[in-house]
Amino acid sequence: MIKAITGTKDILPFDISKWRYLENVIREKMQSFNYKEIRTPVFEETALFSRGIGEATDIVSKEMYTFLDKGGTSLTLRPEMTASVGRAFIEHSLSAKQNLNKLFYIAPMFRQERPQAGRLRQFHQFGAEALGSDSPALDSEMIILAFDILKALGLNGLTVKVNSLGVPQSREAYKNVLKEYLSDKLNLLSEESRKRFYTNILRIFDSKEENDQEVMKNAPLLIDYLDQESLQHFEAVKKLLSCASVPFEVDPRLVRGLDYYTKTTFEIISGAVGSQSALCGGGRYDLLIEQLGGKPAPGVGFAAGIERILLACENENSLTIDGESLDLYIIRLDKSLQDKTFDLGLSFRRKNINTEFDYLDRSVKAQMREANRLNARYVIILGGEEYLNGQLILKNMSDGVQENISLEQLDYICSKLSKKGE
Ligand code: AMP
């Protein structure tokens, strides 16, 4: 039997109401903050990600789904969205149309990670990117937007962590300080961290290895080496977060995995989802667009993992979603009325009334059971003496009240049915 690829998941009809609910909350919030949706292709030229995300990152060095197409071009399934949005921003000269572009997406991403709880190979992210302004107000707006969406989903137990990585000059100077600190401690580090010492030294802070953490406990911190401009920017971001009543903590060890960040970085962590606890991460990336070959444009954004958020919602029992219901089920008493049932059902469906009837030659009793199983608000009974008199029976399933209605009076039925919750 052919099965779904390890690390991928089917989203089945009974899970869809949660996804739809979450997507609606995201869209509503994005709209109130005036972000416009963007959709980009699932695959891109590999160079976009290696250049945009950085060769030394875990994503590019280990996790990309890369393949040659029949023309010999190296393509990659997108592992994240920022580089793709940056590419589209440059390609379509979006900055010429308006100075500030505020964009959002909800889309699948692909990373060849070791599958484990909270880590999939195809997963879904939503996120936002604001391109064209270096205002700290936008850094704060991103954090508030992400936080508000998670709160709107009923999540508590959230921790917002913020840090500043400064501009490249101050970061480079700091990297030398860190190198010096670590140079006589290399033998105490794990193999992975020793590798990172040469390729991506800041990431040693991310190591979960106890020995590494012990060494890093006393390491000099980037925040103490920040340039004046980054410090001021960071102060402004924090001030706006406080005004917005977003509780946050400064985590000077929060470096995040990607090369493109400058100044602000942040993560939102949930206490409700085991070891893969980051629901969302983001930051400012003022040099990315230039790095991708565009005219310099500052940017800031975040990405959040939908599967992990749904898991947190489940663990906190925060989503109360009404079960599926049906507006109308048509029961036919006699098989000879099959075509008439189809015809009648279609008339209601064309008036956007969510209607179902039998296709399986079921008995009247079984049709009634089906109407109950589908949670039908109303049932029409078609047949018998009423039908001979040009009538049908309309039954309200919540109070059991029945009415005889002329087959000519479909509009009357429609008006009754469209009054939801009656
Ligand atoms: P990143 O793009 O790595 O900063 O990830 C942003 C968010 O996407 C994370 O906080 C997770 O919620 C989610 N995420 C990242 N990788 C995966 C994965 N392999 N499986 C499920 N969710 C993920």
Side-chain angles (χ1 to χ4, degrees), residues 111 113 118-120 123 125 256 278-280 303-305 308:
R111 293 184 197 173
E113 305 205 57
R119 280 203 180 277
L120 293 161
F123 59 99
Q125 286 185 336
R256 305 226 355 103
L279 299 185
C280 161
R308 257 185 231 180

Side-chain angles (χ1 to χ4, degrees), residues 284-304:
R284 178 162 280 287
Y285 48 86
D286 287 347
L287 303 171
L288 175 69
I289 297 298
E290 200 177 342
Q291 217 166 297
L292 293 176
K295 271 204 303 239
V300 58
F302 77 87

Side-chain angles (χ1 to χ4, degrees), residues 132 181 273 278 294 304 320 341:
Y181 168 79
V273 284
T320 37
T341 307

Side-chain angles (χ1 to χ4, degrees), residues 264-280:
T264 315
T265 53
F266 72 96
E267 260 180 18
I268 303 182
I269 313 286
S270 162
V273 284
S275 65
Q276 303 299 330
S277 58
L279 299 185
C280 161

Side-chain angles (χ1 to χ4, degrees), residues 7 29 135 141 173 175-176 181 184 198 220 229 317 332 348 353 390:
K29 286 280 174 213
S135 165
E141 181 167 301
K175 277 186 189 169
N176 287 333
Y181 168 79
D184 58 356
Y198 299 103
E229 184 200 334
N317 210 359
R332 42 138 191 77
F348 287 118
I353 288 173

